[in-house]
Amino acid sequence: MAVVVTDRFSNLLYWNPFAERLFGRPGTSGPRDQSLSLGIMEKDHPLAVELSKHVLKGGVWEGTFDVRRGDGTIIYVRAQAVPLRHPSGAVTGIVITAREAMRSNEREKDRFGLLERIGERLAGSLYVEETLKRVAEMLVPQFADHCFIELMEEGRLTRRVSTHVQGWSPPPDTWAPLGAEIRYPVGHYAEIALRRQETILVEDFSQTNYPSPGEANTRLAAEIGMTSAIVAPLCVRGETLGLMYLGLSNLTDRRSPHYDAFDRDFVGAIATRVALAVDNALLFEEERHTAESFQKHLLPRALPQLDGLEIAVRYYPAAPLASHGQGIQTQVGGDWYDVIPLSAGRVGIVIGDVEGRGAKAAAVMGQLRAALRAFAQDDKPPAEILARLDEWTRIIATPEQDESGTDISVPPIVTCQYLVYDAWSRQLSFANAGHAPPLLLIGNTCTELDIREVGQPLGVRAKGMHADLVYKEETRTLPPGAALLLYTDGLVDRRPIRDADGRPPNVEETLAQLCGKLIESSDASVERLADAATVAVPGEIDDDMAILVLRSASEDLAVEERTFPAQPIMVGEARRMASEAFVGWNVPEERAELACLLVSEVVTNVVLHAATASIPRRELTMDGPPLPFDESWDVPGFEDEIVNEKEFTLRLRRGRESVWVEVFDQDLRLPRIRSAGENDEGGRGLYLVDQLARRWGSRPTKEGKAVWFEIPTRSR
């Protein structure tokens, strides 16, 4: 095998001993034309130059040349040319391997070699555009001067590829451009190919007469000297996907300017492979689009407007690669995020990742997200929310049984972190289920949030171990202007780009890169922080990726709070406190009066039920030995002491577009709306709150409960 290496300018760099014998001349390096160095005959010089340009652009070529040896004899040389690449990936020259070919089968070998390479290139195609582009690059200029590929879209034929030799392109308003609808007249050879679903050969345009698609089309064909064409329909599973058009013209100097029956059969074989690749790519894109749409519709479409908190989110599916060992798949996974408005302006923040990829992982993610949103409305602590979500993860496990009928259902493995942020107190409460800790950005420092208790992922808790022992709640205070980056592992687990030592970076190095980029953008908006985090880690996304960035307000939000004895006279005092606060906050008079009315209703409800409310056990202490059961508990003054100890707290919060009112007491019973009869004096307070407030609710606290409602500061 002869091996010849040249640089980009056709200077000979290497020439092995067999090349000297094959070409019949010594190999000498120097600034000489490559085709003359190899002895390629003059009639093949234009082809050699054109193919050199093709290889220097990264393509591959295989074929035969007529070569005049040093002693004057002529031989047929079969050669393959591939690009010579620098370690950086740049093309720096051409490597040619060659051997002598027999006249009788040189063209067959050329065609079969091209067909084999086309099959190899198409095997790695996952997208329609990429598939069609690869086909055109392989066929032009080696086999055709012009290549059109048109696909059926909603019953119309649309041009998707238009590739030509020597960088030539058709002038405007002549041949139809990319994206244009193509209509071939009845009797045109392309129309015949589509109608009959067979490959049509036009061997010599000068000897045939077909209807013209248009005057400008015919005029351009005459100018460039169109000589021959082959049109092959792209058919698969009994359906016509489109057609492939190959043409020869006088733009190149070839051995034969005409196609023949052998070429027709060859193009038909190519069209079969192209049709299969296009069909696979269309199916893949449809599956991927379905999975992406499914997942994106399960994620929040819009983020709520929150007081004291800026939030930005990003979601990116992984780019699939067949060479990655996963085959053709969507790479869409179960990563998700959520932002859940809670009581009195508080907000629940979620980041999670379901193990696996594809529509199944996205479906599991959707169920978990819906369940978590429902659980969060109870305003329970984050650890309790994760414990309930862990139970739900086991419930939705696909039921399976072994041969003996034993249940062997395996729950999905899910990592999740749930946080609750109160912008007025700046308190951040959270619990973690095996998820990566968020990154905390304060000024020019970026570190992982200190989490002392990282629980197990959802779905893997051992039987017999109570969830309360696995998931622990922790609380931190978020400084003014601090930012948190919550992310799934797709952000840092990229397809490896090896460093100078030839090894991929480890997790610590990757996190250091990420923190460095975040520090550079520490003063930027949350949107720019999210963008910076997305591109901070080099490499292609190996897994789908979700990012959530939040930043606390730099200024404190307005809040008023006061504790009152649970006595009827205090209802008026609570209302007076609310009225003064609303005036100081410039709440419109109509909105302030409505809020004060509802304050009266809620506080009155608390006071009326205070007499029957039990005191929490931790507050009920007695001196001396415990009383026997047969002794009376009617101790003089005991009830008065209990009544005097009962109290409630009124907390008012001012937001950008709403005010929130919270009333805390020691009663563990949560309020509910009841139907009042016509003659009943009470029972309508909560009904008024439900009708007049934008939102209202109650939640348990460590001391009892809190009843809250929201009033918008703008008129409806």
Side-chain angles (χ1 to χ4, degrees):
M1 182 71 70
V3 179
V4 180
V5 182
T6 73
D7 62 14
R8 293 183 60 87
F9 306 102
S10 300
N11 297 322
L12 197 61
L13 302 179
Y14 175 77
W15 172 290
N16 75 340
F18 184 77
E20 296 186 14
R21 297 198 300 272
L22 178 64
F23 296 106
R25 63 187 68 214
T28 57
S29 300
R32 60 177 63 189
D33 185 79
Q34 175 186 323
S35 60
L36 297 181
S37 300
L38 299 180
I40 296 175
M41 296 184 66
E42 185 175 355
K43 68 184 185 66
D44 286 339
H45 285 183
L47 179 61
V49 172
E50 183 67 28
L51 294 176
S52 295
K53 294 179 180 178
H54 177 69
V55 175
L56 289 174
K57 292 179 181 178
V60 177
W61 180 85
E62 185 175 357
T64 58
F65 285 112
D66 291 352
V67 173
R68 187 182 299 275
R69 293 160 56 89
D71 58 5
T73 59
I74 297 176
I75 63 171
Y76 296 87
V77 174
R78 179 171 180 78
Q80 183 182 46
V82 298
L84 175 68
R85 294 187 182 274
H86 186 270
S88 65
V91 178
T92 58
I94 300 175
V95 178
I96 303 170
T97 56
R99 56 183 172 79
E100 186 175 1
M102 301 299 294
R103 286 175 180 267
S104 61
N105 62 359
E106 59 163 295
R107 189 172 68 156
E108 287 81 354
K109 289 186 177 180
D110 286 349
R111 298 297 182 259
F112 290 135
L114 178 60
L115 189 62
E116 182 181 355
R117 292 200 308 280
I118 288 177
E120 291 175 354
R121 295 289 298 274
L122 293 181
S125 298
L126 297 175
Y127 299 100
V128 174
E129 296 297 334
E130 179 186 17
T131 299
L132 302 181
K133 181 180 178 182
R134 289 186 176 188
V135 172
E137 288 177 349
M138 297 297 293
L139 295 174
V140 178
Q142 183 169 348
F143 187 75
D145 297 334
H146 310 277
C147 176
F148 300 109
I149 300 180
E150 292 142 8
L151 297 182
M152 299 295 296
E153 297 178 1
E154 299 180 354
R156 300 183 302 171
L157 200 61
T158 304
R159 181 154 291 173
R160 302 290 291 272
V161 167
S162 179
T163 303
H164 311 275
V165 294
Q166 299 175 346
W168 180 87
S169 59
D173 301 324
T174 53
W175 288 348
L178 293 177
E181 181 181 356
I182 307 299
R183 296 180 179 179
Y184 292 108
V186 177
H188 189 274
Y189 51 93
E191 188 271 336
I192 295 174
L194 281 175
R195 176 160 39 89
R196 296 182 181 176
Q197 291 191 358
E198 64 180 44
T199 305
I200 300 298
L201 164 67
V202 182
E203 190 168 348
D204 191 345
F205 278 113
S206 64
Q207 305 297 322
T208 57
N209 186 20
Y210 289 98
S212 172
E215 181 180 348
N217 188 300
T218 303
R219 185 171 58 252
L220 180 61
E223 290 177 1
I224 63 175
M226 288 292 295
T227 57
S228 188
I230 299 176
V231 181
L234 304 177
C235 301
V236 63
R237 293 184 288 109
E239 180 182 358
T240 302
L241 302 180
L243 60 81
M244 181 171 63
Y245 181 110
L246 301 177
L248 296 176
S249 68
N250 292 330
L251 292 176
T252 58
D253 184 12
R254 297 178 182 270
R255 293 179 183 176
S256 173
H258 303 285
Y259 291 125
D260 58 17
F262 179 82
D263 296 322
R264 178 195 59 201
D265 296 340
F266 171 67
V267 172
I270 292 177
T272 300
R273 288 161 171 76
V274 172
L276 285 172
V278 170
D279 188 51
N280 286 336
L282 288 171
L283 291 174
F284 165 73
E285 289 190 359
E286 181 179 357
E287 179 189 354
R288 180 177 174 85
H289 175 73
T290 300
E292 285 184 2
S293 299
F294 178 45
Q295 183 174 47
K296 288 182 178 179
H297 280 81
L298 290 175
L299 294 174
R301 296 191 179 184
L303 297 178
Q305 295 294 322
L306 302 170
D307 288 298
L309 198 63
E310 299 176 56
I311 294 183
V313 294
R314 296 288 186 273
Y315 171 77
Y316 298 96
L321 287 179
S323 60
H324 191 244
Q326 303 293 342
I328 298 178
Q329 58 171 333
T330 63
Q331 294 287 78
V332 173
D335 291 14
W336 93 93
Y337 59 83
D338 208 349
V339 178
I340 308 170
L342 301 176
S343 62
R346 296 154 63 247
V347 58
I349 302 162
V350 187
I351 192 82
D353 186 0
V354 178
E355 183 185 48
R357 294 189 176 100
K360 180 179 179 181
V364 172
M365 176 272 290
Q367 296 181 73
L368 292 177
R369 174 175 177 258
L372 195 148
R373 287 187 72 92
F375 298 155
Q377 298 308 313
D378 291 341
D379 264 327
K380 296 292 182 63
E384 188 171 339
I385 297 294
L386 288 188
R388 296 183 65 183
L389 195 63
D390 177 70
E391 292 295 336
W392 185 253
T393 304
R394 300 169 186 274
I395 292 174
I396 65 175
T398 304
E400 297 180 11
Q401 293 182 340
D402 59 14
E403 297 178 354
S404 62
T406 304
D407 183 18
I408 57 171
S409 301
V410 179
I413 298 177
V414 183
T415 64
C416 180
Q417 180 149 307
Y418 179 59
L419 309 91
V420 174
Y421 182 64
D422 186 334
W424 282 263
S425 66
R426 300 188 184 277
Q427 291 296 307
L428 182 72
S429 302
F430 56 87
N432 190 296
H435 201 80
L439 295 180
L440 177 61
L441 183 64
I442 304 176
N444 292 324
T445 61
C446 179
T447 58
E448 287 188 336
L449 183 66
D450 179 27
I451 300 180
R452 300 186 181 91
E453 298 284 348
V454 177
Q456 296 175 349
L458 306 176
V460 301
R461 175 169 53 88
K463 291 184 178 181
M465 177 176 290
H466 197 274
D468 291 345
L469 302 176
V470 179
Y471 306 113
K472 302 293 185 180
E473 180 181 357
E474 301 181 47
T475 302
R476 303 284 186 276
T477 299
L478 210 57
L484 270 181
L485 171 69
L486 288 77
Y487 62 92
T488 58
D489 53 8
L491 176 62
V492 293
D493 292 343
R494 302 292 183 101
R495 292 194 177 111
I497 294 182
R498 301 183 182 278
D499 57 18
D501 299 331
R503 63 174 183 84
N506 55 39
V507 176
E508 290 75 14
E509 293 170 340
T510 301
L511 285 178
Q513 281 183 309
L514 179 57
C515 285
K517 293 296 183 181
L518 293 178
I519 291 174
E520 292 176 4
S521 306
S522 59
D523 296 331
S525 65
V526 289
E527 294 291 340
R528 288 187 58 188
L529 271 176
D531 291 336
T534 302
V535 299
V537 181
E540 203 167 6
I541 300 176
D542 192 41
D543 192 5
D544 58 330
M545 174 179 69
I547 296 176
L548 190 149
V549 182
L550 59 91
R551 187 194 296 277
S552 64
S554 56
E555 298 180 354
D556 293 334
L557 301 182
V559 60
E560 294 285 346
E561 182 175 327
R562 182 179 168 187
T563 299
F564 301 89
Q567 300 173 2
I569 196 174
M570 292 294 106
V571 175
E573 290 296 322
R575 180 166 181 151
R576 184 179 299 107
M577 169 195 165
S579 177
E580 293 174 355
F582 296 150
V583 170
W585 292 340
N586 296 320
V587 176
E589 183 178 357
E590 177 188 357
R591 302 280 91 192
E593 289 181 356
L594 175 60
C596 288
L597 170 64
L598 299 188
V599 166
S600 296
E601 295 296 335
V602 174
V603 171
T604 299
N605 187 74
V606 168
V607 171
L608 287 178
H609 292 84
T612 59
S614 60
I615 296 299
R617 294 180 180 179
R618 66 179 185 84
E619 295 184 5
L620 182 59
T621 58
M622 298 182 62
D623 296 331
L627 293 175
F629 283 103
D630 57 353
E631 292 190 20
S632 171
W633 283 83
D634 296 330
V635 180
F638 184 65
E639 290 294 334
D640 296 336
E641 182 182 356
I642 294 178
V643 172
N644 292 335
E645 287 184 359
K646 293 181 179 178
E647 56 189 17
F648 68 89
T649 299
L650 176 62
R651 179 189 294 166
L652 310 173
R653 295 182 169 192
R654 177 68 158 99
R656 183 172 54 252
E657 296 182 354
S658 297
V659 291
W660 282 272
V661 175
E662 293 178 284
V663 179
F664 300 84
D665 67 354
Q666 293 82 35
D667 190 354
L668 298 175
R669 297 170 296 178
L670 298 180
R672 60 183 178 87
I673 299 176
R674 63 183 180 89
S675 299
E678 292 184 8
N679 299 321
D680 291 346
E681 295 183 2
R684 298 178 180 84
L686 289 182
Y687 177 79
L688 285 176
V689 175
D690 182 65
Q691 293 296 311
L692 299 178
R694 173 184 286 176
R695 293 193 306 150
W696 79 280
S698 61
R699 69 175 188 272
T701 63
K702 295 180 179 179
E703 293 79 16
K705 71 173 183 297
V707 181
W708 62 273
F709 61 84
E710 175 187 358
I711 296 293
T713 54
R714 297 180 182 179
S715 299
R716 295 180 180 176

